[in-house]
């Protein structure tokens, strides 16, 4: 059965691909400049569906870069394999002598930054027939699935994020330690709310991840570890997931403010070539703070959507979960 969404769109067609989130976009030609209406519709589809899939694209690297720039400034990842010519472009060329590094763990991209990227756009150039999927988890759905007691408990809490997994990239010698210290000064640990409010939709999501989140502020070590483990485990619940199998010429755009992802490393040592651009985002906030919605809109964003994400008209709470109170 095909679920066609948002029939009001003029320029694009959306097909639902996950129960709570995820949609496939067709009808948009991304191989050049596109008009404001097309961008506005794609942007609305992006924030409402959290993950967008574009298939059978005949586009160039420049087209992908231009597409990313419609959403905001592109960022340069401090630790990834960036292109020499275009530092904003990350080139993944994983193969036998270049195994994938550090992406087989649940995360939202670069939450060690004060202003983590709002979205990531990844395009498959040459991918294996089997394996190498990316699994996404809607942390909006995960939040909505919590009991009211748990929502109240984590409301207002903050956690520290740190680029810890990348520290092993530095050599264990004087020069390596000096270099690491330089990066630690550039990217000191940052504090983000555990419940993040999406700046466009206003939806709340769980904003901690096992790759970068190290501690809950105001808790002792045991309490912090225990709470973080429980929250990290939410991404593993299949009902909150959409698993994407890649084909060449497919591009996926995901909203780092509302989803986490996990790149499955089961394809290695086969070759997998992808290109990625990442768009600068806002400083995460929780709606318990004072919010001025107009000031929080991303550059080039259309008018705020306002409506909550429908998640296909279903409550994301799993059917067998009952409130215990
Ligand atoms: Fe990632």
């Amino acid at each position: 059965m095909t679920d066609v969404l948002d029939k009001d769109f003029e320029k694009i067609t959306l097909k639902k691909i996950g129960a709570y989130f995820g949609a496939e976009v067709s009808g948009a030609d991304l191989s050049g400049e596109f008009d404001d209406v097309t961008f506005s519709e794609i942007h609305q589809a992006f924030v409402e569906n959290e993950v967008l899939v574009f298939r059978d694209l005949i586009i160039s690297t420049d087209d992908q870069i231009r597409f990313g720039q419609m959403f905001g400034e592109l960022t340069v990842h401090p630790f990834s394999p960036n292109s020499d010519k275009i530092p904003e472009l990350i080139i993944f060329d994983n193969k036998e002598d270049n195994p994938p590094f550090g992406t087989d763990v649940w995360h939202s991209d670069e939450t060690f930054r004060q202003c983590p990227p709002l979205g990531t756009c990844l395009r498959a150039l040459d991918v294996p027939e089997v394996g190498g999927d990316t699994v996404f988890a809607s942390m909006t759905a995960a939040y909505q699935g919590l009991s009211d007691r748990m929502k109240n408990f984590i409301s207002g809490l903050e956690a520290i994020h740190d680029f810890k997994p990348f520290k092993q990239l530095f050599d264990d010698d004087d020069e390596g330690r000096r270099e690491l210290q330089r990066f630690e000064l550039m990217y000191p640990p940052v504090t983000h709310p555990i419940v993040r409010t999406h700046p466009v939709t206003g939806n709340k999501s769980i904003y901690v991840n096992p790759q970068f989140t190290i501690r809950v502020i105001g808790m002792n070590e045991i309490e912090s570890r225990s709470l973080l483990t429980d929250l990290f485990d939410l991404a593993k619940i299949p009902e909150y997931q959409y698993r994407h199998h890649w084909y060449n010429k497919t591009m996926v755009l995901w909203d780092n403010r509302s989803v986490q992802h996990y790149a499955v490393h089961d394809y290695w040592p086969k070759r997998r070539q992808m290109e990625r651009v990442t768009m600068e985002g806002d400083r995460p906030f929780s709606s318990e703070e004072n919010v001025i919605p107009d000031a929080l809109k991303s550059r080039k964003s259309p008018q705020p959507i306002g409506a909550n994400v429908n998640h296909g008209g279903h409550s994301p709470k799993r059917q067998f979960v009952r409130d215990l109170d």
Side-chain angles (χ1 to χ4, degrees):
M1 190 180 75
T2 296
D3 290 288
V4 176
L5 296 170
D6 299 302
K7 289 173 187 153
D8 292 343
F9 284 146
E10 278 175 47
K11 304 274 190 169
I12 62 168
T13 304
L14 283 187
K15 187 178 85 175
K16 190 174 154 184
I17 50 176
Y20 298 128
F21 71 114
E24 190 175 309
V25 182
S26 55
D29 178 8
L30 307 187
S31 66
E33 299 283 344
F34 49 89
D35 59 86
D36 287 349
V37 176
T38 303
F39 174 71
S40 172
E41 291 185 0
I42 291 174
H43 186 276
Q44 183 177 344
F46 166 60
V47 296
E48 288 182 347
N49 294 281
E50 304 183 344
V51 173
L52 292 184
V53 175
F54 302 81
R55 294 192 190 280
D56 303 318
L57 291 181
I58 314 283
I59 64 168
S60 64
T61 300
D62 286 347
D63 292 330
Q64 183 180 356
I65 288 170
R66 192 181 320 106
F67 178 74
Q69 286 170 333
M70 295 289 288
F71 293 82
E73 297 286 338
L74 301 186
T75 62
V76 177
H77 196 297
F79 309 110
S80 275
N82 302 330
S83 156
D84 292 336
K85 288 184 191 148
I86 312 167
E88 292 85 357
L89 182 71
I90 298 176
I91 299 175
F92 295 112
D93 187 7
N94 298 118
K95 50 195 169 186
E96 183 148 19
D97 61 355
N98 184 31
F101 172 79
T103 50
D104 57 342
V105 55
W106 283 104
H107 65 286
S108 171
D109 285 324
E110 304 169 46
T111 66
F112 57 84
R113 292 180 185 268
Q114 277 220 327
C115 294
L118 69 86
T120 302
C121 178
L122 185 62
R123 186 166 61 106
L125 304 183
D126 186 11
V127 290
E129 220 174 285
V130 174
D133 295 356
T134 302
V135 190
F136 295 93
S138 170
M139 302 316 291
T140 318
Y143 176 78
Q144 290 178 10
L146 296 177
S147 66
D148 288 344
R149 284 182 182 274
M150 190 61 177
K151 286 178 185 163
N152 284 335
F153 175 61
I154 61 175
S155 169
L157 287 177
E158 296 179 310
I160 298 173
H161 297 236
D162 183 79
F163 71 86
K164 65 182 167 70
F166 297 117
K167 293 185 180 176
Q168 59 184 291
L169 294 172
F170 294 86
D171 290 335
D172 188 19
D173 56 24
D174 284 352
E175 196 188 328
R177 281 187 284 274
R178 266 198 302 275
E179 193 64 358
L180 173 58
Q181 202 171 33
R182 198 167 70 80
F183 277 90
E184 283 173 335
L185 289 169
M186 274 194 290
Y187 299 99
V190 295
T191 299
H192 296 312
I194 287 183
V195 180
R196 181 175 187 177
T197 302
H198 194 289
V200 182
T201 64
N203 290 322
K204 292 182 176 184
S205 65
I206 304 288
Y207 199 65
V208 291
N209 66 83
Q211 190 170 38
F212 301 121
T213 312
I214 55 173
R215 194 165 65 77
V216 178
I217 291 178
M219 288 188 168
N220 67 37
E221 176 64 28
I222 293 170
E223 292 167 342
S224 169
R225 198 178 333 125
S226 166
L227 176 60
L228 286 178
T229 302
D230 286 348
L231 295 177
F232 294 161
D233 283 350
L234 294 172
K236 300 176 188 168
I237 294 176
E239 281 83 350
Y240 302 149
Q241 295 177 353
Y242 159 68
R243 183 168 181 138
H244 180 74
H245 179 66
W246 292 93
Y247 295 94
N248 294 348
K249 303 192 182 86
T250 300
M251 186 166 81
V252 176
L253 172 70
W254 65 83
D255 192 330
N256 282 305
R257 300 164 295 190
S258 47
V259 301
Q260 290 188 30
H261 56 283
Y262 179 115
V264 184
H265 284 186
D266 54 356
Y267 64 92
W268 188 80
K270 291 199 195 93
R271 191 173 193 188
R272 185 177 185 261
Q273 277 182 293
M274 321 274 280
E275 287 185 343
R276 165 182 146 172
V277 292
T278 316
M279 294 79 93
E280 191 176 272
D282 302 295
R283 181 121 196 229
F285 66 92
S286 153
S287 60
E288 276 80 21
E289 297 166 17
N290 292 327
V291 174
I292 308 167
D294 280 350
L296 296 162
K297 280 189 295 178
S298 300
R299 197 172 65 89
K300 291 198 176 184
S301 296
Q303 291 302 305
I305 309 304
N308 284 345
V309 174
N310 186 326
H311 291 302
H314 303 283
S315 162
K317 185 178 285 189
R318 290 174 296 151
Q319 286 180 358
F320 56 85
V321 173
R322 291 200 182 92
D323 289 330
L324 297 174
D325 55 353

